[in-house]
Amino acid sequence: MFPFLLNRLVSLALSLLAASIVIFFVLEVVPGDPAAFMLGMNASPDTVAALRHQLGLDAPLLERYFYWLFGLFRGEFGISYTYRVPVAQLVGDRLWISLPLAIYALALSTLIAFPVGILAAARRNSAADVSIMGITQLGVAIPNFWLAMLLVLAFSIGLRWFSAGGFPGWNAGFLEGMKALTLPAVALALPQASILARVMRSSLLDTLSEDYIRSARAKGLTRRQTLWRHALRNALIPVLTIIGLQFSFLLAGAIIIENVFFLPGLGRLVFQGITQRDLIVVKSVVMILVFAVILVTFLVDMTYALVDPRLRRQA
Amino acid sequence: MRTSLVVLAVAGALIMSTALTPAYAQARTDVRVGLVLEPPNLDPTAGAAAAIDEVVYANIFEGLTRFDANGAIIPALAESWEISGDGLTYTFHLHSGVKFHDGTGFDAEDVKFSFDRARAEGSVNAQKALFADIASVDAVDPRTVRITLSRPNGNFLFNLAWGDAVIVAPESAETNATKPVGTGPFAFIEWQQGDHVDIARNPDYWGTPVRLEKATFKFIGDPTAAFAAMMAEDLDVFPNFAAPETLSQFASDPRFEVVVGSTEGETILAMNNSKPPLDNPKVREAIAHAIDRQAIIDGAMFGYGTPIGTHFAPHHPDYVDLTAISGYDPEKSKALLAEAGITDLTLSLKLPPVEGYARRGGEIIAQQLAAIGIKTETTNLEWAQWLEQVFTGRDFDLTIVSHTEPLDIGIYARGDYYFQYKSEAFNQIMADLGNETGPAERSELFKAAQTRIAEDFANGFLFQLAKAGVQNAKLKGMWVNAPTQATDLTGVYWEE
């Protein structure tokens, strides 16, 4: 197991280094000067020059790259051009919304998808299966922002159970925070649950047609026993892969939902950073997201080994 | 992992079932204000973003003078002042008993510090030009400041009312960006970046205490989300509502009031005056006559906006209606183009990211120009790109932009400003204006300046941007107009 782990860690480090080069230099090519943006239409050229100097934008490109890179090693991401606070602090605040939201949505999606997917596979071609397939087809097709707007219309404007968006901050209480994340999490979870339920069903059906299942049945186990003892565990690998992908998507890709519910999450931070040319924020957040995605993939690989002993031995 | 997921899900289900809506019995003392843009920082002396002033102006920070709801200049931290006969020396008498929110005292040294900092060589004040005429600032005694100018400036008291000219303390100047410390009736409480800023009544305020105890500014950029937040009564007021198409729906709902006022935003079709063939006044005149202002106001702004014929706000007492000079007359446009010998003309039209006047307005203007035979190549830009290509690079023929600074006709005297209008006659008027302090003479000069640029067809003058806001029908005391970009909460209260 140890050489395998070391191998994976080295490739992880190399991927991160490559990512840092691409991210830094591609964003340097983007037109638009952060200082000019901040000072607007009435500023004189010498004021813009003074601000560029204050922000360290007049240093040579390579020098700025290495400065940024070594900062990353020390956990320092630099100071945001526009907000004037450390990027690490900004990201930290946003992560406390994006991460719980992603976990909340993933939990909902898994809790819905597993029973639904298993039911559909166990009762293949029954009325339940057909209606589940129909509903999940619809769920896959519905864009989550549209679902979000429907939820706001029904539960915020109509019933007034939830606010239409925003986040009160965790210091307003855990329940208040979770309440603010509920509609966004549902909007994110339902389309994901539909995909996951369909994957669960087809993966389980594949497994159920394997020879060892027939052997288990021949040995005298009931349908239910074979399903729970033999089929389910073997059907989990593709499902875990999808869950891993979904988590990365939920963490980085909730940007549209964050805009609909005006949640101050990571996605919106990147979006604001791009429009305001707060490039240091964009670079650092993208870097963190790359790190998160690589880490999640790594963890999913590890869970494969837990689910499937053969993979453990190969490693 | 599995158990924690279950715990989360159960918690979620509990929350869904116990959701409540708050009920208010008596007159409230808090207000929740919706703003489109979040300020990048909260220091009005270090950034141009209007969003900064929309939170801090008059609430947290104060200057020696200030704008009132109608744009008049009234005393703020300066109780009174005298101007010497030659117009060069201003002596300000400051209020006593004024304290900054951190408890430090306010005196003449703070005024000297603030202005010296703003006009210093390495200053990052976005409106440094406001202080260009100051020769020296002297603290005569703790309650008296004498400012000496290098030349008379009739606009000086007006300049000092800007958010960029507020008084800051040396102890807190460097940290105002994230933790603003001013002298105003509200003190800063917290900024949840990306979501809201909270301010609360300053119990030690030197002036009339405000009636509100607490105010929250929430930042909602998406118009659909803003609509939902108002409808769900998550917000009490949205002073600059970004979805004009929904205003009629609010107007017909008794819970809300729609308030339409004027702003300082002259919206213009800016032309690159130095680039052929736009350097030919005949071509600019042809373009000006091709524009049907009302069609743009109706089509792009849902009817909100006042046509203008020059670069001046219609609510200003010195405004002259010059719309007739560039009245809609496509036949005349065609004749002028023929006279100038222009046959096949394609112009670039570079639009900043403003959904209403720029993007929707740009489509309408492109059609109106096509009707007189001018083709346009439209490019949609982000602000940062617009600043680089159009504003700094001058790589454009036409652009649409709203100039939101108050009384900014002086930009036409800047020669190298992005639209590059150059006129000796206009520069002379502006120079005279700078030396003149008599109100009647100044009024005449302002009128002459407006006429000059209108007759030179310096730009296509479209309309004055309206301020269309939505608010709870019981909320009183918000500004109707926007003489400067601010959300002054000092007079706001709830009707019982």
Side-chain angles (χ1 to χ4, degrees):
Chain A
M1 192 85 181
F2 182 71
F4 166 73
L5 209 71
L6 192 73
N7 189 333
R8 295 310 302 262
L9 283 176
V10 169
S11 84
L12 193 142
L14 286 177
S15 320
L16 286 177
L17 189 69
S20 80
I21 294 172
V22 173
I23 290 166
F24 189 90
F25 290 98
V26 166
L27 282 174
E28 283 301 323
V29 181
V30 175
D33 175 13
F37 181 84
M38 285 166 68
L39 291 171
M41 291 167 61
N42 260 14
S44 56
D46 60 318
T47 315
V48 177
L51 185 62
R52 282 183 66 83
H53 180 70
Q54 203 181 75
L55 297 174
L57 286 169
D58 49 357
L61 198 59
L62 270 181
E63 187 185 317
R64 283 194 286 135
Y65 171 71
F66 284 110
Y67 187 76
W68 177 68
L69 188 67
F70 289 119
L72 291 182
F73 281 120
R74 294 195 307 270
E76 286 168 20
F77 299 96
I79 308 282
S80 156
Y81 298 153
T82 45
Y83 284 124
R84 308 284 177 96
V85 294
V87 176
Q89 182 194 328
L90 275 180
V91 171
D93 290 350
R94 303 300 176 103
L95 211 55
W96 274 106
I97 293 165
S98 286
L99 201 60
L101 177 62
I103 295 174
Y104 194 174
L106 195 70
L108 284 179
S109 124
T110 316
L111 281 171
I112 298 168
F114 270 54
V116 167
I118 294 171
L119 179 74
R123 306 261 169 87
R124 190 180 183 182
N125 294 333
S126 69
D129 182 29
V130 172
S131 39
I132 286 172
M133 290 308 284
I135 293 168
T136 52
Q137 182 65 56
L138 201 65
V140 173
I142 288 177
N144 56 16
F145 66 87
W146 186 75
L147 181 64
M149 287 197 260
L150 284 191
L151 290 173
V152 169
L153 270 178
F155 293 100
S156 308
I157 297 178
L159 294 168
R160 302 278 201 95
W161 287 359
F162 294 92
S163 352
F167 190 73
W170 289 110
N171 42 15
F174 176 75
L175 285 184
E176 278 297 310
M178 290 302 282
K179 186 180 156 191
L181 294 183
T182 298
L183 287 188
V186 171
L188 281 170
L190 290 184
Q192 301 295 324
S194 303
I195 297 170
L196 203 57
R198 293 175 76 88
V199 173
M200 184 82 222
R201 173 183 177 273
S202 56
S203 168
L204 204 52
L205 286 178
D206 281 351
T207 330
L208 284 172
S209 61
E210 295 279 348
D211 290 344
Y212 60 83
I213 299 291
R214 208 173 41 206
S215 311
R217 291 277 284 146
K219 175 176 97 174
L221 292 183
T222 62
R223 274 178 64 92
R224 179 174 294 237
Q225 283 167 327
T226 35
L227 181 78
W228 289 103
R229 281 191 211 160
H230 298 282
L232 193 56
R233 190 165 166 156
N234 284 300
L236 273 182
I237 291 222
V239 176
L240 282 174
T241 312
I242 298 290
I243 290 183
L245 288 175
Q246 287 192 344
F247 188 72
S248 305
F249 165 78
L250 289 171
L251 196 58
I255 173 164
I256 295 174
I257 290 296
E258 285 173 7
N259 266 325
V260 173
F261 290 100
F262 45 103
L263 287 173
L266 272 187
R268 235 183 74 193
L269 183 66
V270 178
F271 184 68
Q272 279 182 339
I274 294 171
T275 53
Q276 301 177 340
R277 287 298 180 273
D278 198 344
L279 297 183
I280 188 113
V281 169
V282 180
K283 285 169 190 163
S284 302
V285 176
V286 173
M287 199 61 214
I288 291 168
L289 290 176
V290 167
F291 181 72
V293 170
I294 292 179
L295 192 72
V296 168
T297 318
F298 177 76
L299 290 177
V300 169
D301 281 356
M302 296 288 126
T303 23
Y304 289 164
L306 284 183
V307 177
D308 188 340
R310 283 171 306 179
L311 290 175
R312 237 173 301 177
R313 253 169 270 128
Q314 273 169 16
Chain B
M1 186 66 183
R2 192 63 63 79
T3 46
S4 63
L5 291 185
V6 173
V7 169
L8 268 174
V10 172
L14 275 176
I15 294 150
M16 284 172 104
S17 58
T18 57
L20 292 168
T21 39
Y24 299 103
Q26 309 148 314
R28 289 167 50 192
T29 53
D30 70 313
V31 67
R32 298 161 303 175
V33 184
L35 298 177
V36 175
L37 290 176
E38 176 172 31
N41 64 70
L42 295 173
D43 183 355
T45 66
I52 302 174
D53 283 327
E54 283 176 352
V55 173
V56 304
Y57 188 82
N59 299 326
I60 295 179
F61 287 107
E62 297 171 305
L64 294 185
T65 60
R66 57 160 294 183
F67 294 104
D68 75 0
N70 300 313
I73 305 298
I74 57 171
L77 286 172
E79 200 170 47
S80 61
W81 52 80
E82 290 112 37
I83 307 170
S84 66
D86 58 4
L88 287 176
T89 311
Y90 284 68
T91 310
F92 292 94
H93 302 285
L94 309 177
H95 276 284
S96 57
V98 180
K99 275 191 163 56
F100 283 96
H101 299 145
D102 60 358
T104 55
F106 158 86
D107 62 22
E109 287 298 334
D110 295 306
V111 177
K112 179 174 166 53
F113 168 79
S114 300
F115 292 154
D116 284 348
R117 173 173 173 263
R119 64 201 186 94
E121 196 170 329
S123 156
V124 292
N125 194 300
Q127 312 291 347
K128 210 173 155 185
L130 293 177
F131 314 98
D133 292 336
I134 299 182
S136 67
V137 184
D138 299 297
V140 179
D141 64 57
R143 285 190 52 205
T144 313
V145 178
R146 187 171 57 228
I147 299 179
T148 314
L149 303 185
S150 52
R151 61 190 191 98
N153 181 343
N155 269 338
F156 192 61
L157 291 172
F158 172 87
N159 289 357
L160 294 187
W162 283 51
D164 307 80
V166 297
I167 305 304
V168 297
E171 293 86 353
S172 45
E174 291 311 313
T175 51
N176 278 339
T178 49
K179 208 171 158 290
V181 174
T183 55
F186 289 94
F188 170 78
I189 300 293
E190 116 176 295
W191 180 9
Q192 182 95 40
Q193 259 124 7
D195 196 63
H196 67 266
V197 168
D198 281 337
I199 59 175
R201 184 196 286 160
N202 167 14
D204 301 322
Y205 186 55
W206 57 271
T208 321
V210 284
R211 294 212 235 173
L212 293 174
E213 272 169 25
K214 184 175 173 289
T216 301
F217 294 96
K218 271 188 98 68
F219 311 110
I220 305 178
D222 184 65
T224 316
F227 174 81
M230 277 310 294
M231 273 291 170
E233 293 183 44
D234 289 347
L235 295 175
D236 303 310
V237 52
F238 216 113
N240 280 300
F241 198 64
E245 62 275 20
T246 60
L247 286 175
S248 57
Q249 202 174 335
F250 283 108
S252 61
D253 189 327
R255 291 180 296 160
F256 304 107
E257 189 184 350
V258 172
V259 181
V260 179
S262 187
T263 71
E264 292 297 326
E266 291 84 18
T267 310
I268 59 171
L269 173 70
M271 304 191 229
N272 194 337
N273 279 243
S274 73
K275 194 173 167 197
L278 292 171
D279 56 343
N280 182 346
K282 289 231 180 321
V283 178
R284 296 202 302 268
E285 187 179 353
I287 292 175
H289 285 298
I291 296 168
D292 179 356
R293 297 183 177 94
Q294 200 55 47
I296 299 169
I297 294 172
D298 292 341
M301 307 308 290
F302 297 88
Y304 297 101
T306 313
I308 51 171
T310 183
H311 197 106
F312 219 71
H315 55 254
H316 195 283
D318 297 331
Y319 173 76
V320 226
D321 185 353
L322 300 169
T323 46
I325 294 180
S326 48
Y328 178 52
D329 189 351
E331 290 313 313
K332 188 169 180 188
S333 292
K334 286 181 195 161
L336 282 162
L337 283 181
E339 219 177 296
I342 304 281
T343 45
D344 186 24
L345 181 58
T346 305
L347 297 173
S348 71
L349 174 61
K350 298 197 170 175
L351 302 173
V354 182
E355 185 54 35
Y357 70 74
R359 299 284 164 86
R360 283 197 296 261
E363 288 174 24
I364 298 170
I365 284 183
Q367 278 175 11
Q368 294 179 350
L369 291 180
I372 63 158
I374 296 178
K375 289 192 272 299
T376 45
E377 266 172 18
T378 305
T379 321
N380 289 336
L381 301 175
E382 288 175 81
W383 273 120
Q385 289 173 305
W386 186 88
L387 282 170
E388 187 163 291
Q389 287 184 29
V390 178
F391 192 71
T392 316
R394 280 117 206 217
D395 177 18
F396 75 107
D397 295 319
L398 304 172
T399 183
I400 306 175
V401 71
S402 199
H403 284 258
T404 51
E405 278 81 12
L407 207 59
D408 54 1
I409 193 169
I411 55 179
Y412 288 80
R414 281 201 204 169
D416 61 342
Y417 204 56
Y418 75 102
F419 45 71
Q420 301 181 83
Y421 167 75
K422 296 178 181 77
S423 155
E424 282 305 317
F426 183 83
N427 292 356
Q428 189 52 51
I429 299 173
M430 281 293 124
D432 293 347
L433 197 59
N435 295 325
E436 187 59 68
T437 47
E441 291 82 357
R442 285 179 62 80
S443 174
E444 281 314 307
L445 287 167
F446 271 131
K447 286 175 184 160
Q450 294 173 54
T451 314
R452 187 73 260 144
I453 55 170
E455 286 176 348
D456 282 347
F457 302 96
N459 284 315
F461 304 105
L462 304 179
F463 59 90
Q464 195 74 13
L465 210 57
K467 170 175 161 6
V470 182
Q471 63 187 53
N472 189 303
K474 290 193 175 121
L475 188 72
K476 304 291 162 193
M478 293 289 298
W479 281 10
V480 174
N481 297 317
T484 185
Q485 282 164 321
T487 318
D488 180 357
L489 298 176
T490 54
V492 173
Y493 63 96
W494 287 91
E495 200 177 59
E496 288 180 36

